[in-house]
């Protein structure tokens, strides 16, 4: 069993004498997992605090023992992780922050080099058990393997755009070239691009898991950079066009759907403006921002979004001037947010509703789901896309919300 991890993680853990045998291997896997999740959260969550929640069952699944506390304390003692002890039963687990960055390229580690025969046999059994846990979503994994692959010609152009000229004529030569690039300490975004390129080149080996709380499906494409996803092509000769259908302004739109689904009162103005893609303008104007600035100035828009997420939607406390000011303008909306997040579950419930809307459509039409978007393989595009598009619109309409979709055809 071979795993690709950051060279910096392997070298650091190899040099810590207190971590021995199988725990060297599991420490490497855990640190690599934290770094991958951290990269994803930084990209998708403006208010990410650096800590990743991990339930104790996670450690028992990968290590096969119940002494995770001692294992984690050794990692913390050696400055490999920080531990946030805060947790709430059935709501969120303790969280962990990696103290080792990913740099120096990538390398591979083999389970057999760290585990004895007994440990290796049981490790394989746990991996198999974990795979069986996600049997119900294996159809999605099969869709990915069947539908898409990287177009290496497009990929070459992508690397040229960022100043890297790779010489290759086929997939094998490309992998060798990428392995050489792994030894170079590029900036973080380039390192992520190289790492995700490996994942997509070997997409037949992709794994798929379902979020324990959110029910979201996570796979090789879930956190692939958009520019890398644009290098995909269809594997199907009879359906050569790849099309991505994306819910625009998805988080605010799904929020409106969640409020309506719970039969809560809501100001018609905020609903209609959200449907028009002006959710951040609505809230920003309540705080004195200029509407045109929010729409046209990225710095201003980002500032408003940060305030929305940090003081309204996912605030530690709503006893702040921004929420109080918003409440004066939109009391029903503010009250709905407070009620929906009474158990600190708003983020989870938004993701669950997203899954409830999108995943059945992904399954029905044999596509690939990436949270709020669907990738389809089509013959000519127009008719098939229209059918799927109308089904998404109808699902939101049933919840009382008009949705706007964007359509992108992969050249």
């Amino acid at each position: 069993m071979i795993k690709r991890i950051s060279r910096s993680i392997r070298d650091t853990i190899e040099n810590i004498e207190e971590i021995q045998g199988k725990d060297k291997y599991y420490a490497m896997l855990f640190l690599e997992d934290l770094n991958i999740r951290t990269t994803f959260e930084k990209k998708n969550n403006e208010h990410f605090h650096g800590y990743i929640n991990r339930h104790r069952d996670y450690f028992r699944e990968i290590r096969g023992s119940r002494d995770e506390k001692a294992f984690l304390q050794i990692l913390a003692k050696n400055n490999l992780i920080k531990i946030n002890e805060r947790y709430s039963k059935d709501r969120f687990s303790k969280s962990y922050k990696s103290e080792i960055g990913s740099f120096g390229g990538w390398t591979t580690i083999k389970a057999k080099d760290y585990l004895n025969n007994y440990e290796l046999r049981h490790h394989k059994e746990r991996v198999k058990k974990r795979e069986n846990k996600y049997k119900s979503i294996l159809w999605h994994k099969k869709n990915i393997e069947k539908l898409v692959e990287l177009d290496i010609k497009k990929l070459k152009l992508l690397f040229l755009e960022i100043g890297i000229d790779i010489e290759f004529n086929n997939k094998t030569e490309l992998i060798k070239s990428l392995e050489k690039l792994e030894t170079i300490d590029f900036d973080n975004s380039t390192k992520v691009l190289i790492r995700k390129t490996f994942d997509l080149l070997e997409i037949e080996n992709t794994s798929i898991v379902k979020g324990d709380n959110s029910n979201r499906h996570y796979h090789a494409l879930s956190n692939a950079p958009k520019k890398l996803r644009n290098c995909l092509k269809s594997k199907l000769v009879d359906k050569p066009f790849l099309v991505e259908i994306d819910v625009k302004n998805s988080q605010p739109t799904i929020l409106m759907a969640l409020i309506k689904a719970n039969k809560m009162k809501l100001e018609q103005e905020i609903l209609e403006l959200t449907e028009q893609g002006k959710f951040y303008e609505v809230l920003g104007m309540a705080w004195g921002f200029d509407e045109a600035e929010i729409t046209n100035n990225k710095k201003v828009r980002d500032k408003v979004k940060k305030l929305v997420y940090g003081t309204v939607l996912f605030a530690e406390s709503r006893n702040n001037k921004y929420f109080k000011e918003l409440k004066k303008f939109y009391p029903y909306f503010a009250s709905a947010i407070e009620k929906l997040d009474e158990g600190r579950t708003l983020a989870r419930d938004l993701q669950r509703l997203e899954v409830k809307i999108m995943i059945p459509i992904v399954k029905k039409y044999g596509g690939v789901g990436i949270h709020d978007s669907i990738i389809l393989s089509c013959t000519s595009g127009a008719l098939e896309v229209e059918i799927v598009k109308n089904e998404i619109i109808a699902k939101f309409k049933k919840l009382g919300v008009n949705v706007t979709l964007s359509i992108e055809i992969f050249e």
Side-chain angles (χ1 to χ4, degrees):
M1 306 183 81
I2 297 173
K3 291 284 185 182
R4 188 182 296 277
I5 67 164
S6 307
R7 197 178 298 275
S8 54
I9 288 176
R10 186 204 62 182
D11 292 349
T12 302
I13 292 172
E14 285 284 15
N15 289 320
I16 297 175
E17 290 185 8
E18 194 173 356
I19 303 174
Q20 290 292 322
K22 67 176 183 179
D23 277 344
K24 278 194 184 293
Y25 181 69
Y26 294 129
M28 291 176 196
L29 297 187
F30 178 43
L31 267 292
E32 188 63 25
D33 172 57
L34 286 183
N35 282 1
I36 290 170
R37 292 296 303 158
T38 297
T39 300
F40 176 70
E41 292 293 344
K42 278 182 179 176
K43 178 176 176 287
N44 292 276
N45 182 352
E46 295 175 63
H47 301 281
F48 175 58
H49 48 55
Y51 286 81
I52 304 295
N53 295 95
R54 282 288 176 255
H55 192 270
R56 63 176 178 269
D57 289 346
Y58 162 85
F59 299 103
R60 292 170 187 178
E61 277 183 10
I62 64 170
R63 295 181 66 248
S65 62
R66 293 179 172 269
D67 63 342
E68 71 276 356
K69 189 173 180 180
F71 169 72
L72 292 165
Q73 284 175 344
I74 289 174
L75 299 189
K77 178 185 170 186
N78 285 279
N79 300 314
L80 300 177
I81 61 169
K82 283 185 177 177
I83 303 174
N84 180 355
E85 298 282 353
R86 185 169 172 261
Y87 73 96
S88 178
K89 189 177 179 182
D90 298 327
R91 283 169 56 203
F92 58 87
S93 310
K94 291 181 183 180
S95 56
Y96 308 90
K97 181 179 182 180
S98 169
E99 292 290 272
I100 304 177
S102 294
F103 55 86
W106 310 98
T107 186
T108 54
I109 58 171
K110 297 177 182 178
K112 67 177 185 177
D113 292 338
Y114 298 91
L115 312 183
N116 61 37
N117 289 338
Y118 173 82
E119 292 165 344
L120 187 60
R121 186 173 75 253
H122 283 276
H123 176 71
K124 287 178 179 178
E125 287 171 1
R126 290 195 303 276
V127 169
K128 188 71 178 172
K129 187 177 177 182
R130 186 170 171 81
E131 287 173 353
N132 288 338
K133 181 180 174 182
Y134 302 114
K135 231 174 199 174
S136 65
I137 61 171
L138 284 181
W139 61 266
H140 202 170
K141 180 179 186 291
K142 288 174 183 174
N143 283 6
I144 296 167
E145 294 168 359
K146 182 174 123 181
L147 290 188
V148 296
E149 64 182 346
L150 274 180
D151 185 328
I152 60 176
K153 290 179 182 176
K154 288 183 188 176
L155 195 61
K156 187 167 187 175
L157 291 174
L158 171 59
F159 276 97
L160 279 173
E161 283 175 16
I162 60 172
I164 300 174
D165 189 3
I166 308 178
E167 289 299 325
F168 61 88
N169 296 305
N170 53 50
K171 183 175 168 179
T172 304
E173 289 180 9
L174 172 57
I175 289 172
K176 286 181 180 178
S177 296
L178 288 173
E179 285 173 345
K180 289 177 183 176
L181 290 177
E182 283 187 316
T183 62
I184 302 171
D185 194 14
F186 289 108
D187 63 85
N188 193 53
S189 63
T190 303
K191 286 191 288 186
V192 170
L193 180 66
I194 293 168
R195 174 62 179 270
K196 292 308 296 183
T197 301
F198 269 113
D199 289 346
L200 299 190
L201 281 170
E202 299 167 344
I203 206 161
E204 65 277 4
N205 298 322
T206 190
S207 60
I208 188 163
V209 298
K210 184 164 75 171
D212 290 334
N213 289 317
S214 68
N215 294 333
R216 273 181 160 184
H217 295 190
Y218 294 98
H219 47 74
L221 287 167
S222 298
N223 58 349
K226 177 71 173 172
K227 55 189 174 184
L228 185 57
R229 291 214 311 266
N230 287 341
C231 293
L232 292 173
K233 67 176 181 178
S234 173
K235 278 186 178 178
L236 305 181
V237 178
D238 59 331
K239 293 185 175 182
F241 294 95
L242 275 187
V243 179
E244 184 168 6
I245 305 172
D246 184 61
V247 177
K248 290 182 77 173
N249 211 26
S250 63
Q251 192 99 315
T253 303
I254 294 169
L255 174 62
M256 295 300 134
L258 185 64
I259 292 171
K260 299 284 276 185
N262 281 276
K263 303 188 184 310
M264 295 175 171
K265 285 186 177 181
L266 179 68
E267 290 80 5
Q268 189 64 21
E269 179 188 10
I270 198 168
L271 172 61
E272 289 177 358
L273 288 170
T274 299
E275 290 173 340
Q276 295 167 28
K278 293 186 174 290
F279 177 76
Y280 298 108
E281 282 81 352
V282 173
L283 273 63
M285 286 165 64
W287 299 326
F289 288 88
D290 178 74
E291 181 180 3
E293 283 282 295
I294 300 169
T295 303
N296 302 316
N297 187 320
K298 187 179 183 303
K299 282 187 179 179
V300 174
R301 189 173 185 82
D302 286 347
K303 184 176 181 180
V304 171
K305 285 177 78 171
K306 191 172 182 180
L307 286 171
V308 169
Y309 285 95
T311 68
V312 179
L313 299 187
F314 312 123
E316 284 292 322
S317 166
R318 293 187 176 85
N319 185 25
N320 61 72
K321 65 177 183 178
Y322 294 101
F323 191 76
K324 288 175 182 176
E325 195 64 28
L326 180 67
K327 209 166 188 176
K328 291 178 190 175
F329 286 88
Y330 303 105
Y332 290 144
F333 172 71
S335 176
I337 294 294
E338 288 176 314
K339 288 175 183 173
L340 287 170
D341 205 30
E342 278 177 356
R344 305 287 298 150
T345 58
L346 179 56
R348 181 202 70 187
D349 292 341
L350 285 169
Q351 291 176 347
R352 284 185 176 180
L353 183 56
E354 171 198 271
V355 168
K356 189 177 179 181
I357 294 167
M358 302 298 285
I359 288 297
I361 300 175
V362 173
K363 188 173 185 179
K364 181 177 178 180
Y365 293 100
V368 176
I370 306 175
H371 306 324
D372 57 8
S373 71
I374 299 175
I375 294 177
L376 298 168
S377 207
C378 307
T379 49
S380 60
L383 180 60
E384 293 139 308
V385 169
E386 200 63 26
I387 291 169
V388 176
K389 181 179 149 189
N390 288 339
E391 189 151 340
I392 296 171
I393 290 170
K395 280 225 176 187
F396 276 94
K397 191 77 175 173
K398 196 172 180 181
L399 293 167
V401 178
N402 294 313
V403 66
T404 303
L405 305 174
S406 66
I407 312 293
E408 182 177 355
I409 299 173
F410 292 22
E411 293 293 338

